Coordinates of all heavy atoms in Angstrom, one line a residue:
M1 N -5.7 8.0 -0.1 CA -5.1 7.7 -1.4 C -3.7 8.0 -1.3 O -3.3 9.2 -1.1 CB -5.8 8.5 -2.5 CG -5.2 8.3 -3.9 SD -5.6 6.6 -4.5 CE -4.6 6.6 -6.0
H2 N -2.8 7.0 -1.5 CA -1.4 7.2 -1.5 C -0.9 7.5 -2.9 O -1.4 6.8 -3.8 CB -0.7 6.0 -0.9 CG -0.9 5.8 0.6 ND1 -0.3 6.5 1.5 CD2 -1.8 5.0 1.2 CE1 -0.7 6.1 2.7 NE2 -1.7 5.2 2.5
V3 N 0.0 8.4 -3.0 CA 0.6 8.6 -4.3 C 2.1 8.2 -4.2 O 2.8 8.7 -3.3 CB 0.5 10.0 -4.8 CG1 1.3 10.2 -6.1 CG2 -0.9 10.5 -4.9
I4 N 2.5 7.3 -5.1 CA 3.9 6.8 -5.1 C 4.6 7.4 -6.3 O 4.1 7.2 -7.4 CB 3.9 5.3 -5.1 CG1 3.4 4.7 -3.7 CG2 5.4 4.8 -5.2 CD1 3.5 3.2 -3.6
S5 N 5.6 8.1 -6.1 CA 6.5 8.5 -7.2 C 7.6 7.4 -7.3 O 8.3 7.1 -6.4 CB 7.1 9.8 -6.9 OG 7.9 9.8 -5.8
V6 N 7.7 6.9 -8.5 CA 8.6 5.8 -8.8 C 9.8 6.4 -9.6 O 9.7 7.2 -10.5 CB 8.0 4.7 -9.5 CG1 7.0 4.0 -8.6 CG2 7.3 5.1 -10.8
D7 N 11.0 6.0 -9.1 CA 12.2 6.4 -9.8 C 12.7 5.4 -10.8 O 13.7 5.6 -11.5 CB 13.3 6.8 -8.8 CG 13.5 5.8 -7.8 OD1 13.0 4.7 -8.0 OD2 14.1 6.1 -6.7
A8 N 12.1 4.2 -10.8 CA 12.5 3.2 -11.8 C 11.2 2.4 -12.1 O 10.3 2.2 -11.3 CB 13.5 2.3 -11.2
D9 N 11.1 2.1 -13.4 CA 10.0 1.3 -13.8 C 10.4 -0.1 -14.3 O 9.8 -0.6 -15.2 CB 9.1 2.0 -14.8 CG 9.8 2.3 -16.1 OD1 11.0 2.1 -16.2 OD2 9.1 2.8 -17.0
E10 N 11.5 -0.6 -13.8 CA 12.0 -1.9 -14.2 C 12.0 -2.8 -13.0 O 12.2 -2.3 -11.9 CB 13.4 -1.8 -14.8 CG 13.4 -1.1 -16.1 CD 14.8 -1.0 -16.7 OE1 15.8 -1.6 -16.1 OE2 15.0 -0.4 -17.8
C11 N 11.7 -4.0 -13.2 CA 11.6 -5.0 -12.1 C 12.9 -5.0 -11.3 O 14.0 -5.2 -11.9 CB 11.3 -6.4 -12.6 SG 11.2 -7.6 -11.4
D12 N 12.8 -4.9 -10.0 CA 14.0 -5.0 -9.1 C 14.5 -6.4 -9.0 O 15.6 -6.6 -8.5 CB 13.6 -4.5 -7.7 CG 13.4 -3.0 -7.7 OD1 13.9 -2.3 -8.7 OD2 12.8 -2.5 -6.8
A13 N 13.7 -7.4 -9.3 CA 14.1 -8.8 -9.1 C 14.6 -9.5 -10.3 O 15.4 -10.4 -10.2 CB 12.9 -9.6 -8.5
C14 N 14.2 -9.0 -11.5 CA 14.8 -9.5 -12.7 C 16.2 -9.0 -12.9 O 16.5 -7.9 -12.4 CB 13.9 -9.1 -13.9 SG 12.3 -10.0 -14.0
P15 N 17.0 -9.6 -13.7 CA 18.3 -9.1 -14.0 C 18.2 -7.8 -14.7 O 17.4 -7.6 -15.6 CB 18.9 -10.2 -15.0 CG 18.1 -11.4 -14.8 CD 16.7 -11.0 -14.3
S16 N 19.0 -6.8 -14.2 CA 18.9 -5.4 -14.7 C 19.1 -5.4 -16.2 O 18.5 -4.5 -16.9 CB 19.9 -4.5 -14.0 OG 21.2 -5.0 -14.2
E17 N 19.9 -6.2 -16.8 CA 20.1 -6.2 -18.2 C 18.9 -6.7 -19.0 O 18.9 -6.4 -20.2 CB 21.4 -7.0 -18.6 CG 21.3 -8.5 -18.3 CD 21.8 -8.8 -17.0 OE1 21.8 -8.0 -16.1 OE2 22.3 -10.0 -16.8
A18 N 18.0 -7.3 -18.3 CA 16.8 -7.7 -19.0 C 15.8 -6.6 -19.2 O 14.9 -6.7 -20.1 CB 16.1 -8.9 -18.2
H19 N 15.9 -5.5 -18.4 CA 15.0 -4.4 -18.5 C 13.5 -4.8 -18.6 O 12.8 -4.4 -19.5 CB 15.4 -3.5 -19.8 CG 16.8 -3.0 -19.7 ND1 17.2 -2.1 -18.8 CD2 17.8 -3.3 -20.5 CE1 18.5 -1.9 -19.0 NE2 18.9 -2.6 -20.0
V20 N 13.1 -5.6 -17.7 CA 11.7 -6.0 -17.6 C 10.9 -4.9 -16.9 O 11.2 -4.4 -15.9 CB 11.6 -7.3 -16.8 CG1 10.1 -7.7 -16.7 CG2 12.4 -8.4 -17.5
K21 N 9.8 -4.5 -17.6 CA 9.0 -3.4 -17.1 C 8.2 -3.9 -15.8 O 7.7 -5.0 -15.7 CB 7.9 -3.0 -18.2 CG 7.0 -1.9 -17.7 CD 6.3 -1.3 -18.9 CE 5.2 -0.4 -18.5 NZ 5.6 0.6 -17.5
A22 N 8.2 -2.9 -14.9 CA 7.5 -3.2 -13.6 C 6.0 -2.9 -13.7 O 5.7 -1.9 -14.3 CB 8.2 -2.4 -12.5
Y23 N 5.2 -3.7 -13.1 CA 3.8 -3.4 -13.0 C 3.2 -3.4 -11.6 O 2.1 -3.1 -11.4 CB 3.0 -4.5 -13.8 CG 3.1 -4.4 -15.3 CD1 4.1 -5.1 -16.1 CD2 2.3 -3.5 -16.0 CE1 4.2 -4.9 -17.4 CE2 2.4 -3.3 -17.3 CZ 3.3 -4.0 -18.1 OH 3.4 -3.8 -19.4
L24 N 4.1 -3.6 -10.6 CA 3.6 -3.6 -9.3 C 4.7 -2.8 -8.4 O 5.8 -3.2 -8.4 CB 3.4 -5.0 -8.7 CG 2.7 -5.1 -7.4 CD1 1.8 -6.3 -7.4 CD2 3.7 -5.2 -6.2
Y25 N 4.2 -1.8 -7.8 CA 5.1 -0.9 -7.0 C 4.6 -1.0 -5.5 O 3.4 -1.0 -5.2 CB 5.0 0.5 -7.5 CG 5.4 0.7 -8.9 CD1 4.4 0.7 -9.9 CD2 6.7 0.9 -9.3 CE1 4.8 0.9 -11.2 CE2 7.1 1.0 -10.6 CZ 6.1 1.0 -11.6 OH 6.5 1.2 -12.9
A26 N 5.6 -1.0 -4.6 CA 5.3 -0.9 -3.2 C 6.2 0.0 -2.5 O 7.4 0.0 -2.7 CB 5.4 -2.4 -2.6
R27 N 5.6 0.8 -1.6 CA 6.4 1.6 -0.7 C 6.6 0.9 0.6 O 5.6 0.5 1.2 CB 5.8 3.0 -0.5 CG 6.5 3.8 0.6 CD 6.0 5.2 0.7 NE 6.4 6.0 -0.5 CZ 6.0 7.2 -0.8 NH1 5.0 7.7 0.0 NH2 6.4 7.8 -1.8
M28 N 7.9 0.8 1.0 CA 8.1 0.1 2.3 C 8.2 1.1 3.4 O 8.3 2.3 3.2 CB 9.5 -0.6 2.2 CG 9.6 -1.5 0.9 SD 8.2 -2.7 0.7 CE 8.6 -3.8 2.0
P29 N 8.0 0.6 4.6 CA 8.0 1.6 5.8 C 9.3 2.4 5.9 O 9.3 3.5 6.4 CB 7.9 0.6 7.0 CG 7.2 -0.6 6.4 CD 7.7 -0.7 5.0
S30 N 10.4 1.9 5.3 CA 11.6 2.6 5.3 C 11.6 3.8 4.4 O 12.5 4.7 4.5 CB 12.8 1.7 4.9 OG 12.6 1.3 3.5
G31 N 10.6 3.9 3.5 CA 10.5 5.0 2.5 C 11.0 4.6 1.2 O 10.8 5.3 0.2
N32 N 11.7 3.4 1.1 CA 12.1 2.9 -0.2 C 10.9 2.4 -1.0 O 9.9 2.0 -0.4 CB 13.1 1.8 0.0 CG 14.4 2.2 0.5 OD1 14.8 3.3 0.4 ND2 15.1 1.3 1.2
T33 N 11.0 2.6 -2.3 CA 10.0 2.0 -3.2 C 10.6 0.9 -4.0 O 11.7 1.0 -4.5 CB 9.5 3.1 -4.1 OG1 8.9 4.2 -3.4 CG2 8.4 2.5 -5.0
V34 N 9.9 -0.2 -4.0 CA 10.4 -1.4 -4.8 C 9.4 -1.5 -6.0 O 8.2 -1.2 -5.9 CB 10.4 -2.7 -4.0 CG1 11.5 -2.5 -2.9 CG2 9.1 -3.0 -3.4
S35 N 9.9 -2.1 -7.1 CA 9.1 -2.3 -8.3 C 9.3 -3.7 -8.8 O 10.5 -4.1 -8.8 CB 9.4 -1.2 -9.3 OG 10.8 -1.1 -9.5
Y36 N 8.3 -4.3 -9.2 CA 8.4 -5.7 -9.7 C 7.6 -5.9 -11.0 O 6.5 -5.2 -11.1 CB 7.9 -6.7 -8.6 CG 8.7 -6.7 -7.4 CD1 8.2 -6.4 -6.2 CD2 10.0 -7.1 -7.5 CE1 9.0 -6.4 -5.0 CE2 10.8 -7.2 -6.3 CZ 10.3 -6.8 -5.1 OH 11.1 -6.9 -4.0
C37 N 8.0 -6.8 -11.8 CA 7.2 -7.1 -13.0 C 6.0 -8.0 -12.5 O 5.9 -8.3 -11.3 CB 8.1 -8.0 -13.9 SG 8.7 -9.6 -13.2
A38 N 5.2 -8.3 -13.4 CA 3.9 -9.0 -13.1 C 4.3 -10.4 -12.4 O 3.7 -10.8 -11.5 CB 3.1 -9.2 -14.3
H39 N 5.3 -11.0 -13.0 CA 5.7 -12.3 -12.4 C 6.2 -12.2 -11.0 O 5.7 -12.9 -10.1 CB 6.8 -12.9 -13.3 CG 7.4 -14.2 -12.7 ND1 6.8 -15.4 -12.8 CD2 8.6 -14.3 -12.0 CE1 7.6 -16.3 -12.1 NE2 8.7 -15.7 -11.7
H40 N 7.1 -11.3 -10.7 CA 7.7 -11.2 -9.4 C 6.7 -10.5 -8.5 O 6.6 -10.7 -7.3 CB 9.0 -10.4 -9.4 CG 10.1 -11.3 -9.9 ND1 10.8 -11.0 -11.1 CD2 10.7 -12.4 -9.4 CE1 11.7 -12.0 -11.3 NE2 11.7 -12.8 -10.3
G41 N 5.9 -9.6 -9.0 CA 4.8 -8.9 -8.2 C 3.9 -10.0 -7.6 O 3.5 -9.9 -6.4
T42 N 3.5 -10.9 -8.4 CA 2.6 -11.9 -8.0 C 3.3 -12.8 -6.9 O 2.7 -13.2 -5.9 CB 2.1 -12.8 -9.2 OG1 1.4 -12.0 -10.1 CG2 1.2 -13.9 -8.7
E43 N 4.6 -13.1 -7.2 CA 5.3 -13.9 -6.3 C 5.5 -13.3 -4.9 O 5.4 -14.0 -3.9 CB 6.7 -14.2 -6.9 CG 7.6 -15.2 -6.2 CD 8.8 -15.6 -7.0 OE1 8.8 -15.6 -8.2 OE2 9.9 -15.8 -6.3
Y44 N 5.7 -12.0 -4.9 CA 6.0 -11.3 -3.6 C 4.8 -10.6 -3.0 O 4.9 -10.0 -2.0 CB 7.1 -10.3 -3.8 CG 8.4 -10.9 -4.2 CD1 9.2 -10.3 -5.2 CD2 8.9 -12.0 -3.6 CE1 10.4 -10.8 -5.6 CE2 10.1 -12.5 -4.0 CZ 10.9 -11.9 -5.0 OH 12.1 -12.5 -5.3
L45 N 3.6 -10.7 -3.7 CA 2.5 -9.9 -3.3 C 2.1 -10.2 -1.8 O 1.8 -9.2 -1.0 CB 1.3 -10.1 -4.2 CG 0.1 -9.2 -3.9 CD1 0.5 -7.7 -4.0 CD2 -1.0 -9.5 -4.9
E46 N 2.0 -11.4 -1.5 CA 1.6 -11.8 -0.1 C 2.5 -11.1 0.9 O 2.1 -10.6 1.9 CB 1.5 -13.3 0.0 CG 0.9 -13.7 1.4 CD 0.9 -15.2 1.5 OE1 0.7 -15.9 0.5 OE2 1.0 -15.7 2.7
Q47 N 3.8 -11.2 0.7 CA 4.8 -10.6 1.6 C 4.7 -9.1 1.6 O 4.7 -8.5 2.6 CB 6.2 -11.1 1.1 CG 7.3 -10.5 1.9 CD 8.7 -10.9 1.3 OE1 8.8 -11.9 0.5 NE2 9.7 -10.2 1.6
L48 N 4.4 -8.5 0.4 CA 4.4 -7.1 0.3 C 3.1 -6.5 1.1 O 3.2 -5.5 1.7 CB 4.3 -6.6 -1.1 CG 5.6 -6.8 -1.9 CD1 5.4 -6.5 -3.4 CD2 6.7 -5.9 -1.3
T49 N 2.0 -7.3 0.9 CA 0.8 -6.8 1.6 C 1.0 -6.7 3.1 O 0.3 -6.0 3.8 CB -0.4 -7.6 1.2 OG1 -0.1 -9.0 1.5 CG2 -0.8 -7.4 -0.2
R50 N 1.8 -7.6 3.6 CA 2.1 -7.6 5.1 C 3.1 -6.5 5.5 O 3.0 -5.9 6.6 CB 2.7 -8.9 5.5 CG 1.7 -10.0 5.6 CD 2.2 -11.2 6.4 NE 3.5 -11.7 6.0 CZ 3.6 -12.7 5.1 NH1 2.6 -13.3 4.7 NH2 4.8 -13.1 4.8
Q51 N 4.0 -6.1 4.6 CA 5.1 -5.2 4.9 C 5.0 -3.8 4.4 O 5.4 -2.9 5.0 CB 6.4 -5.8 4.4 CG 6.7 -7.2 5.1 CD 8.1 -7.7 4.7 OE1 8.7 -7.2 3.7 NE2 8.6 -8.7 5.4
A52 N 4.4 -3.7 3.2 CA 4.4 -2.4 2.5 C 3.4 -1.4 3.1 O 2.3 -1.9 3.6 CB 4.2 -2.6 1.0
S53 N 3.7 -0.1 3.0 CA 2.7 0.9 3.5 C 1.8 1.2 2.4 O 0.7 1.8 2.7 CB 3.5 2.1 4.1 OG 4.3 2.6 3.1
A54 N 2.1 1.0 1.2 CA 1.3 1.3 0.0 C 1.7 0.4 -1.1 O 2.9 0.2 -1.3 CB 1.3 2.8 -0.4
I55 N 0.7 0.0 -1.9 CA 1.0 -0.8 -3.1 C 0.2 -0.3 -4.3 O -1.0 0.0 -4.1 CB 0.6 -2.3 -2.8 CG1 1.5 -2.9 -1.7 CG2 0.6 -3.1 -4.1 CD1 1.1 -4.3 -1.3
I56 N 0.9 -0.2 -5.4 CA 0.2 0.1 -6.6 C 0.3 -1.2 -7.5 O 1.4 -1.6 -7.8 CB 0.8 1.3 -7.4 CG1 0.6 2.5 -6.5 CG2 0.1 1.5 -8.7 CD1 1.1 3.8 -7.1
D57 N -0.8 -1.7 -7.9 CA -0.9 -2.9 -8.7 C -1.4 -2.6 -10.1 O -2.5 -2.3 -10.3 CB -1.8 -3.9 -8.0 CG -1.7 -5.3 -8.7 OD1 -1.1 -5.4 -9.8 OD2 -2.3 -6.3 -8.1
L58 N -0.5 -2.6 -11.1 CA -0.9 -2.3 -12.4 C -0.9 -3.6 -13.3 O -0.8 -3.5 -14.5 CB 0.1 -1.3 -13.0 CG 0.2 0.1 -12.2 CD1 1.2 0.9 -12.9 CD2 -1.2 0.7 -12.2
R59 N -0.9 -4.7 -12.7 CA -0.8 -5.9 -13.5 C -1.9 -6.1 -14.5 O -1.8 -6.8 -15.5 CB -0.7 -7.2 -12.5 CG 0.6 -7.2 -11.8 CD 0.6 -8.4 -10.8 NE -0.4 -8.1 -9.8 CZ -0.9 -9.0 -9.0 NH1 -0.5 -10.2 -9.0 NH2 -1.9 -8.7 -8.1
H60 N -3.1 -5.4 -14.3 CA -4.2 -5.5 -15.2 C -3.8 -4.9 -16.6 O -4.5 -5.0 -17.6 CB -5.4 -4.9 -14.7 CG -5.2 -3.4 -14.3 ND1 -4.7 -3.0 -13.2 CD2 -5.5 -2.3 -15.1 CE1 -4.6 -1.7 -13.2 NE2 -5.1 -1.2 -14.3
Q61 N -2.7 -4.1 -16.5 CA -2.2 -3.4 -17.8 C -1.3 -4.3 -18.6 O -1.0 -4.0 -19.7 CB -1.5 -2.1 -17.5 CG -2.4 -1.1 -16.8 CD -1.6 0.2 -16.6 OE1 -0.4 0.3 -16.8 NE2 -2.3 1.2 -16.1
V62 N -1.0 -5.5 -18.0 CA -0.1 -6.4 -18.8 C -0.9 -7.1 -19.9 O -2.0 -7.6 -19.6 CB 0.4 -7.5 -17.8 CG1 1.3 -8.5 -18.6 CG2 1.3 -6.9 -16.7
H63 N -0.4 -7.0 -21.1 CA -1.1 -7.7 -22.2 C -0.1 -8.8 -22.6 O 0.9 -8.6 -23.2 CB -1.3 -6.8 -23.3 CG -2.2 -5.6 -22.9 ND1 -3.5 -5.7 -22.6 CD2 -1.9 -4.3 -22.7 CE1 -4.0 -4.5 -22.3 NE2 -3.0 -3.7 -22.4
A64 N -0.5 -10.0 -22.2 CA 0.4 -11.2 -22.4 C 0.3 -11.5 -23.9 O -0.7 -11.3 -24.6 CB -0.1 -12.3 -21.6
Ligands
ZN101 ZN1 10.8 -9.6 -12.4

């Protein structure tokens, strides 16, 4: 069980001024943690599953 501490909970891919909440977090082998909203998380998930050392997927918490 990996525990990821996140220092930001806004999507890294959306414009920062949009302040879109992140629902998918991934730790990269470099140690960096990236966070994405449900939209971008879904878009990048295939790439992340190949590259990330750990992924937390909270997209089930999205209430559209
Ligand atoms: Zn986004």
Side-chain angles (χ1 to χ4, degrees):
M1 181 68 188
H2 293 277
V3 177
I4 293 182
S5 60
V6 291
D7 48 16
D9 64 352
E10 292 178 2
C11 177
D12 289 343
C14 286
S16 58
E17 63 268 26
H19 300 298
V20 177
K21 180 167 171 46
Y23 284 98
L24 191 142
Y25 301 94
R27 171 172 287 170
M28 307 310 286
S30 64
N32 290 334
T33 302
V34 294
S35 47
Y36 293 118
C37 65
H39 170 78
H40 284 115
T42 301
E43 187 173 324
Y44 295 138
L45 185 58
E46 187 181 327
Q47 177 183 341
L48 290 172
T49 51
R50 287 199 303 266
Q51 296 182 347
S53 55
I55 293 175
I56 294 180
D57 187 353
L58 302 177
R59 288 174 297 162
H60 61 278
Q61 294 183 356
V62 178
H63 301 290

